[in-house]
Amino acid sequence: MLEMTREEFEELVSQALDRIPPELTRLMDNVAVFVEDEPPATDPDLLGLYEGTPLTERGEWYAGVLPDRISIYMGPTLRMVAAEEGDRELVVEEVEVTVVHEIAHHFGMDDERLHALGYG
């Protein structure tokens, strides 16, 4: 497997978040991003996961709730890149695609649309 420390991976996630245009990050509301080592056992190849209520589905009832959660998974990302004989640059690309994919879910975009845009 490709070697990378947790701190290095977290920095890649942070850099990917920094590349999101400010006009979009200003619209993000009540969402937290986490780096996790592994996804749930039911989906061991999952690179990222959005859990929450997309902005497009929030109404007047939306108040006093816990933040939405975006998880980016280090283990499957590194294993996938290693299987493709990739390097650190491919990890950077995959992290960025995963971060954008999960943030897009926060904005209400579904997987079909994301795949069509190249963020599958």
Side-chain angles (χ1 to χ4, degrees):
M1 186 162 88
L2 186 67
E3 294 295 321
M4 182 174 285
T5 67
R6 171 75 178 251
E7 292 76 24
E8 289 172 312
F9 191 83
E10 287 174 351
E11 181 60 26
L12 294 182
V13 171
S14 178
Q15 290 170 4
L17 288 167
D18 289 344
R19 286 191 287 277
I20 303 294
E23 54 271 14
L24 289 179
T25 57
R26 280 194 293 272
L27 297 173
M28 292 173 64
D29 182 45
N30 200 31
V31 61
V33 178
F34 298 91
V35 171
E36 304 286 347
D37 291 330
E38 296 293 334
T42 55
D43 199 352
D45 297 325
L46 193 64
L47 303 182
L49 180 65
Y50 169 76
E51 300 171 283
T53 304
L55 294 175
T56 55
E57 296 179 17
R58 295 180 185 179
E60 292 179 16
W61 58 269
Y62 188 85
V65 299
L66 292 174
D68 291 1
R69 180 182 180 98
I70 292 175
S71 299
I72 308 297
Y73 300 110
M74 182 174 157
T77 303
L78 296 180
R79 287 191 296 274
M80 183 187 75
V81 169
E84 294 178 12
E85 298 182 15
D87 58 7
R88 182 180 172 83
E89 287 306 309
L90 186 55
V91 175
V92 170
E93 291 174 27
E94 289 300 333
V95 166
E96 188 167 317
V97 166
T98 303
V99 167
V100 169
H101 182 106
E102 301 311 328
I103 288 173
H105 284 317
H106 176 68
F107 283 101
M109 294 181 79
D110 63 17
D111 281 331
E112 183 177 319
R113 178 72 176 134
L114 288 166
H115 285 280
L117 293 171
Y119 290 98

